[in-house]
Amino acid sequence: MLRVYVLLLLIIFTSCSKKEVNYSILGEHKTTTYLLLSDRISKEEVVDIANKFISKKDNKEKISICFFLTKKKHETPFAIVYFSNSKIHEVKYPFNQKKFNAFLNLKFNENILNHWELKHSSTPRQVFIFEKDKQLFYKSLQVDFYSDKLYSEYSELIVNIDTLENNEVKFQLKNNDTLRYYIIDKNKDLKTFHKNSFTDIIHHKMK
C-alpha cells in the first residue's frame, strides 16, 4: 500500500513540475503548422505540444508541426513531428546536448581576430575571422547532428573587410562576386547583402 501512495505522489509531483512552454504560431500551411519558440525544448516537450495540438478538432487535417527558434527565412526547424490519423508516427529531433557542448568547447590554434558563437539556431555554428600568412580568412564551423562527425567546416580567403557602426563587421570572400558581401551584426546574426538588398544568410556548402 505504501508503494502505491509513493507512486501516486511521484506522478503528481512530476505532472506539477512540468514547465509551461510558451510558443507562437509562425505560419500556417494546409497540412503544416510552424511554431516559434524562444528557447530550445526537449524531445519530450516537443511530443507533449504535438499531442495537445492533434487533440484539437481544428487540427485534424494537419500532418506535421515544425518547431523554429528564429524567424529567419532560411533557418531549418530544430524539430519536426509527423502525424497520421491523429497519431504521432515520427519525431525528428536531431539535437544532441553532448555534441553541442563538445562543439562549443573546441580549442583553436589560429590567430583569431573575431569569433562569434551562434548558439540559438537549429544548426549551431561558430564563425571566425583569423589571420594566417599575413592574410585574413573566414571560417564557419557547423555542428553536425546527423553523422559521427562533430562538425562541418567551410573556410575562404577574405578579400575586403571593414568595421561598421555597432561593432558590425562587413567582409567579402574571394569566391564571391563584387555585389555580395557578409555582415555579422551586434546580435551575432550573419546576413548577406546581394543585389542591393539584405537577406538572411544562405548556408554554405560545407566541406
Side-chain angles (χ1 to χ4, degrees):
M1 192 68 177
L2 180 61
R3 288 182 180 179
V4 175
Y5 283 128
V6 171
L7 183 60
L8 285 173
L9 287 172
L10 183 62
I11 293 171
I12 293 170
F13 176 78
T14 303
S15 60
C16 291
S17 62
K18 281 188 176 180
K19 66 178 181 180
E20 186 71 24
V21 177
N22 295 319
Y23 59 85
S24 59
I25 295 179
L26 184 60
E28 287 278 8
H29 187 267
K30 185 178 179 179
T31 58
T32 304
T33 295
Y34 306 97
L35 300 184
L36 178 66
L37 294 92
S38 58
D39 294 297
R40 194 186 305 274
I41 58 177
S42 68
K43 184 176 182 179
E44 290 73 20
E45 289 169 317
V46 165
V47 171
D48 285 344
I49 291 174
N51 278 321
K52 290 177 184 177
F53 180 84
I54 59 178
S55 68
K56 298 177 182 178
K57 291 182 179 180
D58 294 343
N59 299 321
K60 293 299 181 183
E61 299 300 317
K62 301 288 184 177
I63 62 172
S64 63
I65 301 178
C66 296
F67 295 79
F68 291 85
L69 292 171
T70 74
K71 295 180 179 180
K72 293 181 179 180
K73 293 179 181 178
H74 299 289
E75 182 68 272
T76 55
F78 74 88
I80 306 174
V81 181
Y82 295 98
F83 320 115
S84 178
N85 299 322
S86 298
K87 291 184 178 180
I88 295 174
H89 70 85
E90 185 179 4
V91 180
K92 289 191 174 182
Y93 188 87
F95 182 75
N96 181 308
Q97 188 67 53
K98 289 183 178 179
K99 187 172 276 193
F100 178 78
N101 293 341
F103 177 72
L104 292 175
N105 288 322
L106 287 171
K107 305 298 181 183
F108 304 97
N109 298 321
E110 292 96 340
N111 182 18
I112 296 171
L113 304 179
N114 299 81
H115 176 210
W116 298 266
E117 291 181 343
L118 308 175
K119 300 178 183 179
H120 197 69
S121 171
S122 298
T123 51
R125 285 186 294 152
Q126 296 198 58
V127 176
F128 305 89
I129 293 175
F130 66 95
E131 185 178 4
K132 181 180 179 181
D133 299 328
K134 297 183 179 180
Q135 290 184 304
L136 295 181
F137 290 85
Y138 161 82
K139 179 184 285 188
S140 176
L141 306 180
Q142 181 173 298
V143 66
D144 188 346
F145 292 130
Y146 298 93
S147 74
D148 293 333
K149 295 190 302 181
L150 180 57
Y151 61 86
S152 299
E153 179 179 328
Y154 175 88
S155 184
E156 188 59 68
L157 179 68
I158 294 175
V159 292
N160 290 307
I161 188 167
D162 194 12
T163 301
L164 308 177
E165 296 180 2
N166 300 321
N167 295 321
E168 293 178 341
V169 177
K170 180 180 78 172
F171 58 96
Q172 184 184 359
L173 303 182
K174 184 179 179 181
N175 64 343
N176 291 139
D177 59 63
T178 55
L179 293 178
R180 178 177 293 148
Y181 59 79
Y182 300 92
I183 283 186
I184 301 180
D185 65 23
K186 61 181 178 179
N187 296 318
K188 301 183 180 180
D189 288 327
L190 186 62
K191 297 181 179 181
T192 181
F193 187 87
H194 185 51
K195 294 183 178 178
N196 298 320
S197 63
F198 277 113
T199 62
D200 291 331
I201 186 65
I202 299 173
H203 295 298
H204 302 297
K205 182 178 180 181
M206 295 296 183
K207 296 179 181 178

